[in-house]
Amino acid sequence: MFLKSLKYTALSFGAVSALLASEISVFDAGNINTDTPYGLTENEKVLFEQRQQIQKLSRELAQMRSQYEQLDSQMQGVRSVLDGTASKVGQSDAQARTLERRVEALDGNLSALRQEINRLRQYAQQTRTVQETNNERVRTVLGEISLLIDSINSSYAPKSQVDKLAQRVEELESPNRSQTSFIDSSALESKEGAVLIKEALEHFEAGRLDESRIRYEILVTKNYMPARSNYYLGEIAYKQEQWRTAIKHYKISIDLYDKADYIPRLLYHTAISFDKIGEPSNANRFYNALKTNYPDSKEAKASPNR
């Protein structure tokens, strides 16, 4: 019984020893490099604690480094965004400056345009004033011309009688008329008005006055440009010193149309014709009408001051 108990005790002690041998080595006593050191002296315990703190700090440093790297990556992203934004802001600022310069230029142009508009308004007002003055002068002169025409009618004959006497007056004042009466006008009458008026002007400018006169007379009967045709008939009579005949045709021409380009010469030659027949008062009316309505014409400048 005693032996049996001893044997059991020995086996139990061996099992415990083996178990302890498997968990704790006797050679690790005082080894601070293990996770669970034992058998440490006071210095070794201090070193172990410092080692633990250093490991803890290393882990924290590693975490901080990782966080720093993450933050740096994020900062790089933010910096990239900021750089892009700054670039856009710079572009926007440049565009804003460009727009500002354009606005300033447009403002300058608008200012110049306003000045030009004001100048044009003033010019238009001045022109309107001058035009109104000229219109009043024209109305006055036309009234005088109308009175003068009435005076001519009363002095020389109404139009109905003038037409009847025209041929007789021309025959009396033109000693050479009989010499040219043989010109056959029948062939001319079949021509178109445009052809006749061209031929009439060509003969007039070449000095073939009778050839020109016959064509203008046919044009009058055709009622083709009667105002111009009567004017040239007046010019032909004027050149042939047939003053009364010239006055008659000038009167008919201006009655038909008083805005033609030849009116200054018509007024001038009418005035001279009145002077030639000894009626200076009527001549002066036409000189004055010429100077008032056509002051810049060479005929007005050549007219006498009286």
Side-chain angles (χ1 to χ4, degrees):
M1 186 67 178
F2 175 77
L3 292 173
K4 184 179 181 180
S5 297
L6 182 60
K7 183 179 182 180
Y8 178 78
T9 302
L11 291 173
S12 297
F13 181 79
V16 171
S17 298
L19 179 62
L20 291 174
S22 63
E23 291 182 355
I24 300 173
S25 174
V26 295
F27 297 102
D28 285 334
N31 184 7
I32 62 173
N33 293 322
T34 63
D35 293 334
T36 56
Y38 65 94
L40 300 177
T41 65
E42 292 299 324
N43 288 334
E44 290 173 340
K45 290 180 180 180
V46 172
L47 291 174
F48 178 74
E49 290 176 356
Q50 290 179 349
R51 179 175 172 273
Q52 291 291 99
Q53 291 177 356
I54 290 171
Q55 290 177 349
K56 181 180 178 182
L57 291 173
S58 296
R59 288 192 297 271
E60 291 177 354
L61 180 61
Q63 291 177 355
M64 291 177 65
R65 184 178 291 109
S66 176
Q67 292 175 354
Y68 172 78
E69 291 176 353
Q70 292 178 357
L71 288 174
D72 184 67
S73 178
Q74 293 175 357
M75 286 296 297
Q76 291 295 334
V78 171
R79 185 177 292 108
S80 177
V81 172
L82 288 176
D83 290 342
T85 303
S87 177
K88 291 180 179 179
V89 169
Q91 292 176 358
S92 298
D93 186 59
Q95 292 175 353
R97 288 195 296 270
T98 301
L99 288 174
E100 185 178 359
R101 288 194 295 269
R102 290 181 179 177
V103 168
E104 291 176 354
L106 288 174
D107 187 62
N109 292 337
L110 286 174
S111 178
L113 184 59
R114 291 191 192 98
Q115 294 177 359
E116 183 65 16
I117 289 173
N118 290 332
R119 188 185 69 80
L120 289 175
R121 284 176 178 169
Q122 294 176 358
Y123 177 75
Q125 183 61 38
Q126 294 174 357
T127 302
R128 187 180 298 109
T129 302
V130 172
Q131 186 63 39
E132 290 175 354
T133 302
N134 288 339
N135 289 341
E136 184 62 30
R137 289 179 179 176
V138 169
R139 285 192 291 269
T140 301
V141 171
L142 288 177
E144 292 179 355
I145 292 176
S146 178
L147 292 174
L148 185 57
I149 290 172
D150 292 340
S151 174
I152 293 172
N153 286 335
S154 62
S155 299
Y156 296 98
K159 187 176 185 303
S160 60
Q161 294 182 13
V162 168
D163 293 338
K164 293 179 182 180
L165 295 175
Q167 184 176 358
R168 179 59 179 164
V169 170
E170 291 176 7
E171 289 176 355
L172 292 175
E173 289 190 343
S174 179
N176 297 325
R177 180 66 181 271
S178 59
Q179 297 178 10
T180 60
S181 60
F182 67 92
I183 298 176
D184 185 10
S185 62
S186 59
L188 298 176
E189 290 176 353
S190 62
K191 292 185 177 182
E192 295 290 334
V195 176
L196 281 174
I197 202 163
K198 180 180 178 182
E199 291 180 356
L201 182 60
E202 290 174 351
H203 285 299
F204 177 82
E205 292 176 345
R208 296 185 291 271
L209 301 182
D210 290 323
E211 290 285 352
S212 178
R213 175 183 52 75
I214 290 173
R215 286 165 173 77
Y216 280 121
E217 287 176 346
I218 294 173
L219 288 167
V220 169
T221 61
K222 288 177 175 287
N223 200 32
Y224 187 89
M225 300 182 70
R228 185 171 292 272
S229 296
N230 270 286
Y231 163 70
Y232 276 104
L233 286 172
E235 288 291 272
I236 292 169
Y238 179 87
K239 288 179 178 291
Q240 294 177 340
E241 299 184 357
Q242 299 171 11
W243 314 117
R244 297 180 187 275
T245 301
I247 292 171
K248 179 201 73 171
H249 286 295
Y250 290 148
K251 172 192 173 300
I252 295 172
S253 177
I254 201 171
D255 279 345
L256 292 172
Y257 185 53
D258 60 0
K259 299 293 190 298
D261 56 349
Y262 51 75
I263 293 298
R265 181 168 290 271
L266 183 152
L267 295 174
Y268 184 59
H269 285 175
T270 301
I272 293 176
S273 297
F274 272 115
D275 269 337
K276 292 294 185 180
I277 63 176
E279 295 187 13
S281 60
N282 283 334
N284 290 340
R285 292 182 182 179
F286 280 91
Y287 286 135
N288 291 334
L290 178 59
K291 291 179 180 179
T292 301
N293 287 277
Y294 305 96
D296 296 328
S297 65
K298 62 180 181 181
E299 290 82 6
K301 295 177 182 178
S303 298
N305 297 317
R306 59 188 187 187

